[in-house]
Amino acid sequence: MDNVKPAPGVMESVRAFFIKYVDFHSRSRRAEYWKVVLFNILVYIPLGIILGGSMTEVLPYVGTELDTTTFVSRLDGTAKTVLALYSLYYFICLIPSWALMVRRLHDIGLSGWFLLLFVVLGFVPYLNILSGIVLLALMCIDSKRTPNRWGESPKYIL
């Protein structure tokens, strides 16, 4: 295992995630991907807990035909703020997440266009579950040792 580069830390991975936010042409190793996923989970969970706890005013209306305007007007100030932060963070991370998944696909030797296939299949009932499982499995595959058309391996030293 002497030919393996040390894995980046969580903050190093997150920094690279935001710096390379539109890099759809290189490779990212598995550790980098999963550390960014962990960081995003650690951001979303507290926001989700605060949002859920501050939505007590709308809980009686869950499952009813409440339009969006009425729903938002019944939220208190905390819920609106947290919902805005949650949505803002989601949209800030959307394109960088796609770029990171494309780089992961490149790292295992697949074209990044496969991600588009998985996004399209995400709208097809039943296939969305299967495509999600396949994409999850692909994100777990180890880096290819050899260089490919997207560059040198970010994990292995040749």
Side-chain angles (χ1 to χ4, degrees):
M1 289 284 196
D2 295 331
N3 62 345
V4 176
K5 296 176 187 173
V10 174
M11 293 316 292
E12 186 179 344
S13 297
V14 172
R15 190 176 319 109
F17 172 71
F18 286 112
I19 289 172
K20 300 191 291 186
Y21 69 99
V22 290
D23 179 6
F24 290 88
H25 301 290
S26 61
R27 296 170 66 167
S28 289
R29 62 190 287 182
R30 184 174 48 183
E32 181 182 340
Y33 174 80
W34 287 109
K35 288 177 182 174
V36 169
V37 169
L38 171 67
F39 180 82
N40 283 335
I41 287 171
L42 293 176
V43 169
Y44 284 127
I45 286 177
L47 288 174
I49 290 171
I50 295 168
L51 183 61
S54 62
M55 293 183 68
T56 55
E57 292 295 318
V58 295
L59 287 178
Y61 301 100
V62 171
T64 64
E65 293 184 23
L66 186 67
D67 64 20
T68 306
T69 308
T70 308
F71 177 82
V72 172
S73 69
R74 291 187 183 271
L75 293 175
D76 64 6
T78 305
K80 287 179 183 176
T81 303
V82 174
L83 183 59
L85 288 173
Y86 195 93
S87 301
L88 179 66
Y89 186 74
Y90 174 81
F91 285 112
I92 286 171
C93 291
L94 188 63
I95 292 175
S97 296
W98 290 343
L100 182 59
M101 285 190 275
V102 166
R103 292 194 307 269
R104 270 300 300 141
L105 290 170
H106 290 170
D107 193 42
I108 61 174
L110 295 174
S111 170
W113 288 104
F114 277 101
L115 182 61
L116 181 61
L117 174 67
F118 289 114
V119 169
V120 170
L121 290 177
F123 292 103
V124 179
Y126 303 111
L127 286 180
N128 56 1
I129 296 169
L130 181 62
S131 67
I133 292 169
V134 170
L135 186 60
L136 176 67
L138 289 174
M139 296 296 118
C140 293
I141 295 174
D142 195 14
S143 300
K144 297 287 184 196
R145 292 181 176 271
T146 58
N148 61 24
R149 63 183 175 172
W150 296 285
E152 297 285 328
S153 173
K155 181 177 181 179
Y156 296 105
I157 301 168
L158 298 178

